[in-house]
Amino acid sequence: MNIKLSQHLPKTHTQKILKKEAKNKDEACLVVLIDDKKNILAESVLADYSTRIEQLIEVSHFNGKAGETVVDYALAGDKKTTKQNPIQLLLVGVGNVDKLNNTVLQKITQTIYSSTQKRVASITVALGDTLEENQFGQFALNLLAATYRFDKYKSEQSTPALTDIYLLADESLQPALEFAESVFAGQSLTRDVANEPGNICFPAYMAEKAQELAATYPDLLTVTVLGEDEMSALGMNCFLAVAQGSTKEGKLVLMEYRGKSNFSADAGKSTTSSAKVSGLKALTDKLPTKAANKKASKKNDDTVQAANDDAPIVLVGKGVTFDSGGISIKPGAAMDEMKFDMGGSASVLGTIKALCEARLPINVVGALACAENMPSGDATRPGDIVKAMNGKSVEILNTDAEGRLVLADTLCYVQRYQPKTIIDVATLTGACVVALGHVRSAVFSNDEDVLFDLENASNLSGDLIWHMPLDDEYQAQIDSPIADMQNIGGKGAGAVTAACFLSRFVEEGQAWAHLDIAGTAWNSGKDKAATGRPVPLFMQYLKNSANMV
């Protein structure tokens, strides 16, 4: 889809063209937004059409409710009117202009696209100065998102007629439009990989997608893939406990985006899963540890501060490409939707693509913790005890609480980057869906600054989150009588105890947040599909972070 800013109304056709076949006279459409008081938004740029619009509002009893539409195909009227003003009009209600949040904008943009995509080649949406920069960005992203299609497996595919979108708005909004296009590119990749079935999308597929990105953006991105042999040598036994039941090998994919500087240069030397185990040990040894930073002397404060400025933000995504539940197998109903259980890693992959498109001046590491959770003779049993990379033992009481296991070892590993912040994202708990439904993602954090920055990004992007508790009192629910901890905490506060589990693998002093997107990563039922969240949230957060440096 082509989308551009414009300062001009669409060109009108002559009477002669209007008499040609419908496919010629219906090439373009002017979209006019009307509020619930029947005011014409961007009225100053629509002076030539104002009389026609007002008449259309009156005869159609148009009320301007959000999502309401009426179409004028420019077929009526006397010859003079039709000749002067023959372009199609689509009136779209926006409701109360003081309540134009992301949800309303999404409804409006979906209405615009669905009303035009089959019958016109281009639309011009008259915005004028109606939307502030942030709202404009949300509008543009939602309009692009409405054009997304995933029909590659259908034997019959229809091609939309609509190919060009023009937004009639001020030129100063060009950067906001370009950023929205970058986010859309990443969000579309997220939706693509998450919508793939489990027989296509498994850990090696995710690694291939990451390597394709590295090949596309070689100046910005380096990818390292660790296989099960490498993870075993590193002591990542929680991760391997999930992967061992499947014939598909687990993969830890590390994507290093260098938008500002060459951080941890030694970490990029090995780029494939075929690296020697001994080389990987040397690799992890060369990465600085948190402790080394804490022991820095005062005379090296300037050096340490410079290193901190270049330290990456790390995004860790749960990538369980299909979650059967393992031995603690799930019920059969809607189990097909467990292909979406890699939504966290899909969103990290998409965020890295969006970063490469936007070329933000910031350092970021994306870690995809990819495994398939299957029942077999080799699968982990309830009651098994394994030791994580940090030496802590875990009693696995439920093999369907697997996401926290792959994340635990990954969190241990990525702290060797000395990151400014770690944010993990996962379709982690059904309890989160019970708590928040499908509107907001849950966020847990040990750092008030990170929490504030994420909430600010949430408000600006419209990709909503909600702060959840992480009180120490919840920790007792995951204590085990025979190991350091157990992987479930009972019926109460399931989303909280899952976050508590993850917190035990984050070193003291390390800023960290956990996003549970179980209710927001995909839509269920007849129209099941990935949403691409929280790519907009992450990109706004990273954009803000880059601007603060």
Side-chain angles (χ1 to χ4, degrees):
M1 180 63 66
N2 299 315
I3 186 168
K4 296 179 180 179
L5 276 184
S6 174
Q7 281 71 51
H8 305 286
L9 290 166
K11 293 181 179 179
T12 56
H13 301 307
T14 65
Q15 182 71 17
K16 182 178 180 181
I17 293 178
L18 193 63
K19 290 181 177 179
K20 290 186 177 181
E21 295 181 1
K23 65 180 181 180
N24 290 325
K25 68 180 174 60
D26 287 347
E27 285 180 348
C29 178
L30 175 61
V31 180
V32 180
L33 305 181
I34 311 293
D35 70 12
D36 58 359
K37 294 182 175 60
K38 301 184 181 180
N39 295 316
I40 303 171
L41 306 187
E43 186 173 14
S44 61
V45 298
L46 295 170
D48 292 343
Y49 292 86
S50 58
T51 300
R52 183 174 161 206
I53 294 169
E54 290 166 359
Q55 290 175 345
L56 186 56
I57 291 173
E58 182 178 355
V59 299
S60 65
H61 303 288
F62 190 78
N63 294 311
K65 294 181 179 179
E68 182 183 3
T69 63
V70 64
V71 182
D72 181 353
Y73 292 96
L75 300 177
D78 58 41
K79 291 183 178 179
K80 182 179 179 181
T81 302
T82 306
K83 183 176 180 179
Q84 290 177 342
N85 216 356
I87 201 78
Q88 279 192 38
L89 293 182
L90 170 66
L91 306 191
V92 180
V94 301
N96 188 334
V97 291
D98 294 327
K99 297 181 178 180
L100 284 179
N101 59 27
N102 189 62
T103 301
V104 177
L105 291 173
Q106 185 179 56
K107 183 176 183 178
I108 293 167
T109 52
Q110 287 177 340
T111 298
I112 291 171
Y113 182 72
S114 62
S115 300
T116 58
Q117 55 109 358
K118 291 183 179 179
R119 58 185 181 80
V120 295
S122 70
I123 60 173
T124 299
V125 186
L127 295 173
D129 59 358
T130 301
L131 304 178
E132 61 179 20
E133 182 178 355
N134 183 59
Q135 287 178 316
F136 174 83
Q138 291 182 21
F139 183 92
L141 178 58
N142 281 315
L143 188 52
L144 285 168
T147 71
Y148 174 82
R149 304 165 67 85
F150 188 82
D151 56 5
K152 62 186 288 188
Y153 294 109
K154 288 183 175 290
S155 55
E156 296 183 6
Q157 300 172 353
S158 59
T159 302
L162 183 61
T163 57
D164 297 288
I165 297 173
Y166 300 95
L167 302 179
L168 192 60
D170 193 86
E171 291 178 337
S172 63
L173 294 172
Q174 183 63 35
L177 178 59
E178 292 174 358
F179 185 72
E181 290 183 280
S182 297
V183 177
F184 174 64
Q187 194 171 19
S188 296
L189 176 60
T190 293
R191 296 168 80 175
D192 282 345
V193 296
N195 283 329
E196 289 286 359
N199 62 317
I200 301 296
C201 179
F202 43 88
Y205 175 89
M206 294 296 291
E208 289 169 5
K209 287 297 177 184
Q211 289 166 330
E212 287 174 9
L213 280 186
T216 304
Y217 307 98
D219 59 324
L220 293 171
L221 192 61
T222 302
V223 171
T224 303
V225 181
L226 308 189
E228 291 184 5
D229 287 344
E230 291 86 356
M231 287 189 278
S232 178
L234 294 168
M236 304 177 76
N237 298 307
C238 283
F239 195 122
L240 296 172
V242 177
Q244 70 189 45
S246 173
T247 58
K248 305 295 187 184
E249 184 181 9
K251 304 284 185 182
L252 174 57
V253 184
L254 300 164
M255 310 177 69
E256 298 174 352
Y257 170 84
R258 294 181 173 86
K260 184 180 180 186
S261 64
N262 272 328
F263 62 89
S264 299
D266 290 334
K269 289 184 177 178
S270 175
T271 57
T272 69
S273 59
S274 62
K276 298 296 184 182
V277 173
S278 58
L280 278 166
K281 285 183 176 180
L283 168 66
T284 54
D285 287 342
K286 287 179 181 178
L287 284 168
T289 63
K290 296 294 293 182
N293 189 39
K294 291 176 182 177
K295 293 179 180 179
S297 62
K298 290 184 178 180
K299 66 180 180 180
N300 291 325
D301 279 352
D302 290 341
T303 303
V304 172
Q305 183 60 48
N308 287 342
D309 287 342
D310 287 349
I313 292 172
V314 175
L315 305 178
V316 176
K318 171 188 171 184
V320 177
T321 56
F322 189 82
D323 181 20
S324 69
I327 298 299
S328 307
I329 197 164
K330 294 177 179 288
M335 193 195 284
D336 60 295
E337 294 185 10
M338 287 302 95
K339 70 176 186 176
F340 295 119
D341 208 25
M342 41 68 73
S345 63
S347 70
V348 172
L349 182 70
T351 299
I352 296 297
K353 178 176 176 62
L355 273 172
C356 292
E357 288 287 314
R359 304 186 75 88
L360 291 182
I362 190 171
N363 292 332
V364 178
V365 174
L368 316 182
C370 301
E372 187 178 57
N373 188 25
M374 298 292 282
S376 73
D378 293 326
T380 296
R381 297 160 290 267
D384 284 359
I385 296 176
V386 295
K387 186 173 288 188
M389 186 179 177
N390 65 353
K392 294 182 179 179
S393 59
V394 178
E395 182 185 13
I396 301 175
L397 297 182
N398 189 325
T399 63
D400 194 24
E402 84 300 330
R404 64 201 70 181
L405 296 176
V406 297
L407 290 175
D409 277 332
T410 306
L411 287 171
C412 291
Y413 186 92
V414 299
Q415 285 171 89
R416 292 177 175 268
Y417 284 101
Q418 286 195 53
K420 289 181 181 177
T421 306
I422 300 173
I423 305 173
D424 74 71
V425 54
T427 52
L428 206 62
T429 64
C432 183
V433 184
V434 174
L436 297 177
H438 305 284
V439 177
R440 291 180 182 264
S441 303
V443 60
F444 304 79
S445 183
N446 64 0
D447 188 282
E448 290 185 1
D449 291 336
V450 173
L451 180 62
F452 175 83
D453 291 341
L454 283 171
E455 288 180 329
N456 183 44
S458 169
N459 293 332
L460 292 174
S461 66
D463 191 348
L464 300 178
I465 60 175
W466 190 257
H467 180 207
M468 298 283 279
L470 197 61
D471 303 271
D472 289 340
E473 287 78 3
Y474 289 107
Q475 292 281 353
Q477 289 181 231
I478 58 170
D479 287 339
S480 167
I482 57 175
D484 293 327
M485 70 195 84
Q486 57 196 37
N487 75 326
I488 56 173
K491 293 183 178 180
V496 181
T497 55
C500 288
F501 180 89
L502 295 177
S503 73
R504 296 195 180 192
F505 298 90
V506 178
E507 294 181 21
E508 185 178 353
Q510 172 63 63
W512 161 77
H514 159 61
L515 280 176
D516 193 331
I517 60 169
T520 58
W522 79 92
N523 298 317
S524 296
K526 178 175 65 71
D527 298 319
K528 60 177 180 261
T531 63
R533 294 177 64 183
V535 174
L537 170 73
F538 280 157
M539 283 301 291
Q540 187 66 56
Y541 170 79
L542 294 171
K543 180 183 178 183
N544 294 347
S545 299
N547 290 337
M548 288 188 296
V549 173

